[in-house]
Amino acid sequence: MNTDSRTKLKIENWLGDRPFEDWMEQYERDGFIIFERVLGVETIAEIRDALAPYIDANISGRNEFEGVATNRVYALLAKSPVFADLATHPLAMAFVDAALGCDCLLSACLAINLHPGETPQPWHYDDSHYEWPRPRRSLGVSAFWAIDPMTAINGATEILPGSHHWPDETIDGAADEESFSRVTARDYDPGARDDAMKVVMPAGSLMLAQGTLWHRGGANNSDNPRLIITPQYCPGWTRQLENMAIAVPPEIVKDLPERARELIGYSIHPPFMGYVDGRHPQRRLD
C-alpha cells in the first residue's frame, strides 16, 4: 500500500470509524466506493463559477457516447486552479495512490452536464482503451464528483457492482464504433438491466470506481441539468487519454501545485521514464 500516514491523517474525517484498509477491501470487492458530502457549499459554488462560461456556451456532445443533450468540458486544469485542487483532493488521491502507485498520472479531467431529455449512455469501462483481455487488474481509477445531486431521475451514473471482475469484453448496450458516429438519440434503451445500480448521492459527494467497472450515464428525466466532474487516473507507465502536456500549457502548469504538475506528467516513473532531454521534466519550468 502506497498511502502514507500523513495522507491518512488528512482523510480520517471522511473515513469515519472504518480503517483505510477496510475501504480498500470494499473497493477491490465491489469495484467502487462512495463518500457523501465531501465538498462544502463554497467549493461547489467556486466550481460552478469556473465552469459557467463553458457550460453557458452550450456545446453539445458530438455523438451518442458523449451525449447529444450533454455538455462536456475538457482540459479543466487549463481553465481554473480550482480543478487542480479537485484533481489532487487528498481523499481521492489516497485511494488512487494505493491502487495505481504514487507515480500515477491524470489521464483525463472533464465536466459532464446532462440536460433534461438526455438518454442513457452506452455501457463502458474507462480503461478499455488499453485493450488488455479481461478479467485483469484495473489500469485506472475514475473519480465522480457530484456538483449537482445525483438522483434516480436526473441521470445519475449507473454501475454494475462487481463487474470489474467480469471476463466480458462487451455486454448488451455497450459502446461500440457506432456509438462514436451516431448523432441522434435512440428511442429505446438497449442496455436496460435489472442488476444496474443508480449512484444516488448528494451534491459534493465522491464515487471512486475501478477502471474495469462497467458503468454509464443515466437518462435525465428531470427538469434540471445534472453536473459532475470526473478526474480519471492511470499508472505512470501508461498513456493518458488526454494529452495533458498540450492541454495544459507550461505557463499555466508552472503556477499549479506540485502534485498537480506531477499528475499532468511533469514527473518520472522509475527509473527514468518521462525524462525531457535527459533531465527531469520539472526542470523545464525553472
Side-chain angles (χ1 to χ4, degrees), residues 101-240:
C102 294
D103 59 349
C104 62
L105 297 170
L106 184 66
S107 184
C109 189
L110 62 150
I112 304 176
N113 188 50
L114 271 67
H115 286 277
E118 182 59 280
T119 55
Q121 187 185 31
W123 291 105
H124 60 283
Y125 54 98
D126 283 341
D127 70 358
S128 61
H129 52 286
Y130 293 120
E131 298 184 348
W132 283 12
R134 296 173 61 105
R136 58 167 170 80
R137 70 184 182 93
S138 172
L139 293 174
V141 176
S142 294
F144 298 77
W145 290 98
I147 307 307
D148 289 320
M150 294 217 293
T151 73
I153 64 170
N154 77 349
T157 300
E158 298 179 12
I159 61 174
L160 300 176
S163 61
H164 59 306
H165 296 305
W166 294 359
D168 308 69
E169 300 290 346
T170 187
I171 59 176
D172 289 344
D176 55 21
E177 290 186 8
E178 188 178 351
S179 304
F180 297 94
S181 59
R182 181 188 295 274
V183 295
T184 57
R186 300 176 189 260
D187 57 5
Y188 69 101
D189 181 6
R193 300 177 62 105
D194 292 336
D195 56 349
M197 169 186 161
K198 293 180 184 291
V199 182
V200 173
M201 56 187 186
S205 299
L206 168 67
M207 178 175 72
L208 295 168
Q210 296 216 25
T212 43
L213 186 77
W214 285 97
H215 66 282
R216 67 177 185 172
N220 189 346
N221 296 315
S222 74
D223 296 326
N224 298 295
R226 184 276 279 164
L227 176 64
I228 67 167
I229 308 293
T230 176
Q232 301 173 10
Y233 308 85
C234 62
W237 50 271
T238 60
R239 183 169 183 174
Q240 297 147 290

Side-chain angles (χ1 to χ4, degrees), residues 62-93:
R62 293 162 289 189
N63 50 53
E64 181 184 43
F65 186 85
E66 286 191 322
V68 295
T70 294
N71 311 128
R72 287 184 173 233
V73 184
Y74 297 99
L76 290 184
L77 270 67
K79 293 176 169 61
S80 170
V82 69
F83 299 115
D85 293 338
L86 194 63
T88 59
H89 192 284
L91 178 59
M93 290 311 305

